[in-house]
Amino acid sequence: TFTAWCNSHLRKAGTGIENIEEDFRNGLKLMLLLEVISGERLPKPDRGKMRFHKIANVNKALDYITSKGVKLVSIGAEEIVDGNIKMTLGMIWTIILRFAIQDISVEETSAKEGLLLWCQRKTAPYRNVNVQNFHVNWKDGLALCALIHRHRPDLIDYAKLNKDDPLGNLNLAFDVAEKYLDIPKMLDAEDIINSPKPDERAIMTYVSCFYHAFAGAEQAETAANRICTVLGVNQENESLMEEYEKLASQLLEWIRRMTPWLENKSPETTMAAMRGKLEDFRDYRRQHKPPKVQEKCQLEINFNTLQTKLRISNRPAFMPSEGRMVSDITSAWTGLEQAEKGYEEWLLSEIRRLERLNHLAEKFQMKATSHQDWSVGKDSVLSQKDYESCSLTEVRALLRKHEAFESDLAAHQDRVEQIAAIAQELNELDYHAASSINERCQGICDQWDQLGTLTQKRRENLERTEKLLETIDQLFLEFSKRSAPFNNWMEGAMEDLQDMFIVHTVDEIQSLISAHDQFKATLPEADCERQAILSIYTEVQKIAQSYGISPNLTNPYSDITPAEIGLKWDKVKKLVPQRNSILQEELARQHANERLRRQFAAQANIIGPWIQTRMEEIGRSSVDIGGSLEDQMSQLKQFEQVIINYKSNINKLEGDHQHIQESLVFDNKHTNYTMEHIRVGWEQLLTTIARTINEIETQILTRDAKGISQQQMNEFRQSFTHFDRKKKGGMETDDFRACLISMGYDLGESEFARIISLVDPNGSNKVTFQSFVDFMTRETSYSDTSEQVLASFKILAADKPFILLEELRRELPPEQAEYCISRMPLYNGPDGVPGALDYTAFSTALYGESDL
């Protein structure tokens, strides 16, 4: 076996040996054998034939073996020169171990163990083969046939082999190996079969020849696996990019659809229509917006994860399509929230305006109806010429009556001005039925002007005839003068007691109640005035009776009668308790509103600080180095679950807020928190916890990809936290320099400038924790590069500068092979062949170093 092994190498130099015991005695072929298997030149041999010449040559060979780290035990040049077969074979075995077996390495095992593991891996799929050693497991020849079939299935039909024919199997393997694999026959099939335990060193020597023969195929397989890995990373990244573009487009489209709706501030004419818009806006807040908030947060997380994967795999950063950057989405979202806030403020303002308009319109109609009822028939009375046929007493009575009317007319001046002022305010507030209001107001003003003209003309006529009439009943005159203002006071009181009012606070309604109490306090005095007026009329009756005048005299100066005064007085007394009941009901409603305010404030004053506390806890956890990244992730997940479970409190607060808005409560002095503050804080809390979790996931991904231990990651975090002096999540340039110096870096200006260009390429004067970790691991961590991929393709192409379609399909899985074929450009070199592909351009384009 050893003779055959030596000849397999010596024939490369055009020579060989016949007797291993004799042919190495002069040391010349021994030195030649070492030069062939090592590829190195040994010292020039001595050409003499004396014994000391031979010993010198053998010593040169033994010295070379020793220089390669091989310890020769009890093997000396004299024994080799003397033809000691045992020493000669031991020396050859030492050479075989050093140059044929020691360099074998499979999955971190080497030499014998590595060769055994290689055999086990290659023969594992084959029936009746179980390689556990280098002696009895090879006796049936199936293991050798399986090794050949695994790498060259075209040479042996393994399915036709018979375990019971070991001689045939061994000879088939020996013949095929010698004929097609250039492995000489080193073993004898019958010796192996007849030996209870075949010689281990002979079989290892022979099997090592198979390992070296198939090393090229192993290298190609490794290269193919590396290319598959790189292409798999590229395909996954492309899938993530397409998913980002799709989600970003959908979110931006939703924002573009929502923004015009929120910017549409077309006013409605009725309160019901405006409340419908408010309800639609609440549905948008409760149902449509929350899922989009989650989509926006998830989109940012996906973008950060994709960039981290690209950076770890040395790929160029992902640049989304124009208008779909994270900053574009953030800008569009900000515009949406601004439009949302403006729309809500406009809705509430419009509801207040319509409420005010409805109140003013009802007040206008009430006052206008009261005035028109008063003015009915006044123009016809003022146009009468009854004084022409009256006596002097009657004329004077008419004159006094007219004076009383003028007093009444003057008393109604304020009411007309109030009606005009209300109409003007309705016009200024753009009341939808302003035209009908203006029409009625104009009719009242025209009638008022006409009454003034008629009143003046009648006074002139009465004064002209007054000289003819001198008998005037002073008592009737006094009665009319006192009864008219009192009657006007009662009418005004009835108006006030039936007047509409609108309040928003307990203080406002209590102010109205106080005014009502003051009015009630004036009733005794008014009752005295009423009795005084009635006593005048009683006195008139007495005087009339004393002069024989009919006791059923009609007051010529006034239409007001004692009965009318009595009826109006009874009505005033009836309206007082009704008004009191209405005010008390309103007071109860305002107290209920106050309870709503306090109920909302009690929850808001708890939820607001709770959100702030959670934000601070998350901030502290991001700089807390205690425990592994997985422990920090677990703690953050617990924080996230606590936040999710707290959502019910937010929903309850939303319900209280809805009750407040439905009750038209617009202020709350018991808390500084509005529902808008709570919503913004809640959304920020959800976004912060999601981003913090994503940062820890990125650190775990970086740690695993770069091979960083947990202790190293903690040390990086400690150094970063210590020198992040402003605690803003990034070291400034001077702090970063101090951090590097503290870690033992001897930095010159040019070296520091180079490092800064790596960790802060945008010149932001801020080094993030991710950039710091990338820098600390970049020099020593393994990562795939364009050079490695290029070398792998070169192996598959058998050192050609191009690769063929059949080579790709033979060496790579179908999916990766077709991926390369669809993207790899044609080779344009002078030594190309039809269908040749340029793998150099493809490899550099994978890493953004060139464009396809």
Side-chain angles (χ1 to χ4, degrees):
T1 300
F2 288 0
T3 300
W5 183 85
C6 292
N7 284 331
S8 70
H9 291 286
L10 287 173
R11 70 183 177 183
K12 298 176 183 177
T15 186
I17 63 173
E18 296 179 1
N19 189 329
I20 197 169
E21 181 179 353
E22 295 292 330
D23 293 349
F24 284 139
R25 292 179 62 183
N26 62 4
L28 295 177
K29 289 190 177 181
L30 179 59
M31 293 178 69
L32 182 61
L33 174 65
L34 290 173
E35 286 184 346
V36 171
I37 63 177
S38 67
E40 299 180 6
R41 295 291 297 177
L42 271 68
K44 186 176 181 180
D46 293 344
R47 292 296 179 181
K49 299 183 179 180
M50 303 296 291
R51 177 179 173 81
F52 73 88
H53 290 125
K54 297 178 181 180
I55 292 174
N57 290 335
V58 173
N59 274 329
K60 291 178 182 179
L62 295 180
D63 291 340
Y64 177 80
I65 295 172
T66 304
S67 71
K68 294 301 179 180
V70 178
K71 185 176 181 181
L72 298 172
V73 181
S74 302
I75 299 177
E78 291 78 8
E79 286 84 358
I80 305 300
V81 172
D82 293 337
N84 187 323
I85 186 62
K86 181 177 180 180
M87 293 300 175
T88 302
L89 292 176
M91 179 189 66
I92 297 301
W93 175 242
T94 300
I95 293 173
I96 292 173
L97 284 177
R98 172 59 183 86
F99 294 98
I101 297 178
Q102 180 174 319
D103 292 335
I104 296 174
S105 177
V106 178
E107 295 185 1
E108 299 183 357
T109 62
S110 60
K112 176 182 178 181
E113 292 78 12
L115 182 61
L116 182 62
L117 179 59
W118 179 78
C119 293
Q120 290 172 342
R121 288 179 55 193
K122 296 302 179 181
T123 61
Y126 292 88
R127 59 182 173 82
N128 298 324
V129 178
N130 182 18
V131 178
Q132 300 296 328
N133 51 56
F134 285 107
H135 37 82
V136 297
N137 293 147
W138 301 84
K139 291 181 65 174
D140 58 6
L142 291 179
L144 288 172
C145 292
L147 282 178
I148 296 172
H149 183 269
R150 178 64 182 268
H151 294 91
R152 292 291 303 275
D154 57 312
L155 300 180
I156 291 179
D157 188 354
Y158 187 86
K160 294 182 178 181
L161 298 181
N162 186 359
K163 181 176 176 64
D164 297 327
D165 183 20
L167 183 63
N169 296 338
L170 287 169
N171 285 326
L172 175 64
F174 296 158
D175 295 338
V176 169
E178 186 174 27
K179 183 177 180 180
Y180 296 101
L181 304 179
D182 200 24
I183 298 175
K185 185 177 180 181
M186 301 180 184
L187 303 172
D188 182 84
E190 293 181 353
D191 288 345
I192 294 176
I193 295 171
N194 296 327
S195 175
K197 182 180 179 182
D199 184 81
E200 186 179 60
R201 287 170 294 182
I203 292 180
M204 284 180 63
T205 302
Y206 187 64
V207 172
S208 68
C209 294
F210 284 86
Y211 174 88
H212 292 291
F214 295 134
E218 289 288 329
Q219 191 178 23
E221 180 180 351
T222 302
N225 290 336
R226 179 176 294 165
I227 291 175
C228 290
T229 300
V230 171
L231 296 180
V233 171
N234 229 50
Q235 290 171 314
E236 181 183 359
N237 290 341
E238 288 180 358
S239 176
L240 290 175
M241 293 175 190
E242 293 173 358
E243 182 65 16
Y244 172 88
E245 292 282 347
K246 177 182 176 182
L247 292 178
S249 299
Q250 292 175 351
L251 183 59
L252 287 171
E253 177 60 24
W254 180 80
I255 293 175
R256 281 192 289 269
R257 283 190 285 105
M258 289 295 103
T259 301
W261 175 66
L262 294 171
E263 291 176 346
N264 181 16
K265 299 178 181 178
S266 302
E268 299 290 345
T269 59
T270 64
M271 182 69 77
M274 286 307 299
R275 287 187 183 275
K277 283 192 171 185
L278 180 60
E279 189 61 32
D280 292 341
F281 180 73
R282 286 173 182 156
D283 289 341
Y284 157 80
R285 272 271 180 79
R286 291 191 299 261
Q287 300 177 11
H288 302 296
K289 185 181 178 185
K292 298 302 177 182
V293 173
Q294 294 295 328
E295 289 181 14
K296 175 177 175 292
C297 180
Q298 190 60 44
L299 191 65
E300 293 177 359
I301 291 173
N302 291 349
F303 181 82
N304 292 335
T305 301
L306 174 59
Q307 297 293 39
T308 298
K309 288 185 175 181
L310 291 173
R311 182 173 62 254
I312 291 172
S313 58
N314 290 329
R315 302 306 196 274
F318 171 53
M319 291 296 293
S321 304
E322 182 177 358
R324 294 188 178 92
M325 296 286 291
V326 173
S327 57
D328 296 328
I329 295 173
T330 302
S331 176
W333 189 266
T334 301
L336 176 72
E337 291 187 329
Q338 291 175 350
E340 175 183 320
K341 182 179 180 182
Y343 187 74
E344 183 179 28
E345 292 173 352
W346 173 78
L347 280 176
L348 298 178
S349 174
E350 272 299 297
I351 288 175
R352 292 193 193 101
R353 186 182 71 84
L354 288 176
E355 184 182 32
R356 173 69 176 166
L357 284 175
N358 291 339
H359 170 70
L360 289 175
E362 292 177 5
K363 190 171 185 178
F364 172 87
Q365 298 296 348
M366 185 193 72
K367 287 184 175 294
T369 300
S370 177
H371 173 77
Q372 289 177 333
D373 290 342
W374 169 84
S375 63
V376 170
K378 293 292 190 294
D379 54 347
S380 60
V381 172
L382 292 173
S383 300
Q384 289 179 357
K385 296 183 179 181
D386 51 343
Y387 51 85
E388 294 179 351
S389 59
C390 291
S391 62
L392 179 59
T393 302
E394 291 173 338
V395 170
R396 291 212 171 205
L398 290 176
L399 185 58
R400 300 297 180 270
K401 181 178 180 181
H402 189 68
E403 289 176 354
F405 175 77
E406 287 179 331
S407 177
D408 192 19
L409 190 67
H412 278 76
Q413 179 69 33
D414 289 339
R415 187 178 299 168
V416 175
E417 291 176 356
Q418 290 175 7
I419 292 172
I422 294 173
Q424 182 179 356
E425 186 173 0
L426 287 171
N427 278 276
E428 291 173 352
L429 293 177
D430 197 21
Y431 182 57
H432 68 279
S435 58
S436 62
I437 295 292
N438 292 337
E439 182 180 355
R440 189 170 187 183
C441 180
Q442 188 61 45
I444 291 173
C445 292
D446 292 344
Q447 185 189 40
W448 182 256
D449 292 338
Q450 184 181 7
L451 287 176
T453 302
L454 292 174
T455 300
Q456 181 62 28
K457 184 180 290 186
R458 183 169 178 80
R459 167 168 279 283
E460 292 173 355
N461 292 332
L462 289 174
E463 288 178 346
R464 189 171 54 249
T465 58
E466 185 180 16
K467 297 177 181 179
L468 301 175
L469 303 173
E470 297 184 357
T471 306
I472 295 175
D473 189 344
Q474 294 298 326
L475 290 175
F476 273 134
L477 184 58
E478 182 180 0
F479 175 85
S480 64
K481 286 182 177 182
R482 294 185 67 173
S483 63
F486 184 72
N487 183 65
N488 188 60
W489 175 86
M490 287 192 295
E491 290 179 350
M494 286 187 291
E495 273 190 34
D496 292 340
L497 291 171
Q498 298 177 83
D499 191 16
M500 304 290 292
F501 61 84
I502 178 172
V503 294
H504 296 97
T505 65
V506 174
D507 292 339
E508 291 177 357
I509 187 61
Q510 286 179 339
S511 177
L512 290 178
I513 292 174
S514 177
H516 183 63
D517 292 340
Q518 293 176 3
F519 170 78
K520 290 192 292 184
T522 64
L523 290 179
E525 182 180 351
D527 188 47
C528 292
E529 178 65 13
R530 179 186 66 84
Q531 293 177 6
I533 292 172
L534 293 178
S535 66
I536 293 173
Y537 201 85
T538 302
E539 186 64 22
V540 168
Q541 295 293 332
K542 290 180 180 179
I543 295 173
Q545 290 178 1
S546 64
Y547 286 95
I549 302 174
S550 172
N552 297 323
L553 292 176
T554 301
N555 189 344
Y557 305 112
S558 176
D559 293 334
I560 301 172
T561 64
E564 183 179 352
I565 290 174
L567 289 174
K568 289 183 178 180
W569 177 255
D570 292 340
K571 187 172 183 179
V572 168
K573 292 195 294 183
K574 181 179 179 182
L575 289 173
V576 167
Q578 293 178 356
R579 179 73 167 186
N580 189 66
S581 176
I582 292 172
L583 290 174
Q584 291 301 323
E585 290 176 359
E586 182 61 26
L587 177 62
R589 192 175 74 88
Q590 290 302 325
H591 277 304
N593 290 347
E594 184 68 12
R595 285 192 296 273
L596 288 176
R597 290 188 182 96
R598 292 180 183 275
Q599 181 177 342
F600 177 85
Q603 293 186 75
N605 289 335
I606 293 173
I607 292 175
W610 185 90
I611 292 175
Q612 183 62 32
T613 300
R614 298 293 82 75
M615 291 286 286
E616 293 172 357
E617 288 177 352
I618 294 171
R620 288 195 297 270
S621 70
S622 66
V623 297
D624 185 6
I625 310 175
S628 64
L629 290 177
E630 284 73 10
D631 293 338
Q632 296 179 37
M633 174 64 73
S634 176
Q635 182 182 8
L636 287 173
K637 288 292 186 180
Q638 292 175 4
F639 280 168
E640 184 180 41
Q641 189 58 47
V642 169
I643 292 170
I644 292 173
N645 293 339
Y646 201 77
K647 184 63 168 64
S648 60
N649 297 308
I650 303 297
N651 294 337
K652 185 175 185 301
L653 190 64
E654 283 280 9
D656 292 343
H657 179 64
Q658 180 176 346
H659 291 323
I660 285 178
Q661 286 195 331
E662 290 173 350
S663 300
L664 300 178
V665 177
F666 304 107
D667 54 33
N668 195 339
K669 64 182 179 179
H670 302 296
T671 181
N672 292 327
Y673 294 101
T674 65
M675 196 63 225
E676 183 64 24
H677 293 154
I678 298 298
R679 291 191 192 107
V680 171
W682 181 252
E683 291 176 4
Q684 289 179 347
L685 180 60
L686 292 177
T687 302
T688 299
I689 188 65
R691 286 176 177 169
T692 304
I693 290 175
N694 179 247
E695 289 177 2
I696 297 300
E697 290 174 342
T698 301
Q699 292 180 26
I700 293 174
L701 186 62
T702 302
R703 181 197 66 191
D704 296 340
K706 300 294 186 179
I708 305 172
S709 67
Q710 182 62 48
Q711 181 180 0
Q712 287 177 309
M713 184 62 75
N714 289 341
E715 290 173 355
F716 292 163
R717 171 58 76 181
Q718 286 176 344
S719 299
F720 182 88
T721 302
H722 177 75
F723 286 95
D724 180 17
R725 305 186 194 281
K726 295 185 178 180
K727 305 305 177 186
K728 292 185 177 180
M731 292 186 287
E732 295 183 354
T733 302
D734 292 339
D735 295 333
F736 179 60
R737 181 194 291 271
C739 179
L740 293 181
I741 292 173
S742 73
M743 298 176 73
Y745 281 77
D746 185 13
L747 298 176
E749 290 299 323
S750 60
E751 177 62 11
F752 184 70
R754 182 188 72 81
I755 294 174
I756 282 295
S757 68
L758 294 175
V759 299
D760 185 20
N762 298 325
S764 62
N765 193 31
K766 180 180 179 181
V767 179
T768 64
F769 179 68
Q770 188 60 48
S771 298
F772 177 69
V773 172
D774 288 344
F775 167 75
M776 294 304 296
T777 58
R778 185 179 291 110
E779 301 299 330
T780 58
S781 297
Y782 167 79
S783 61
D784 61 280
T785 64
S786 61
E787 289 78 11
Q788 289 182 334
V789 175
L790 189 61
S792 299
F793 273 117
K794 190 173 182 180
I795 292 172
L796 297 187
D799 289 335
K800 300 192 298 296
F802 57 83
I803 193 167
L804 301 177
L805 299 179
E806 54 268 22
E807 290 175 330
L808 287 173
R809 290 188 171 118
R810 184 180 68 237
E811 301 295 346
L812 299 180
E815 183 179 358
Q816 277 73 28
E818 296 305 321
Y819 180 83
C820 292
I821 292 170
S822 65
R823 287 166 170 76
M824 199 173 287
L826 294 175
Y827 178 73
N828 297 322
D831 52 349
V833 299
L837 300 177
D838 189 347
Y839 62 77
T840 301
F842 175 74
S843 300
T844 55
L846 281 179
Y847 294 87
E849 299 174 6
S850 67
D851 295 327
L852 284 179

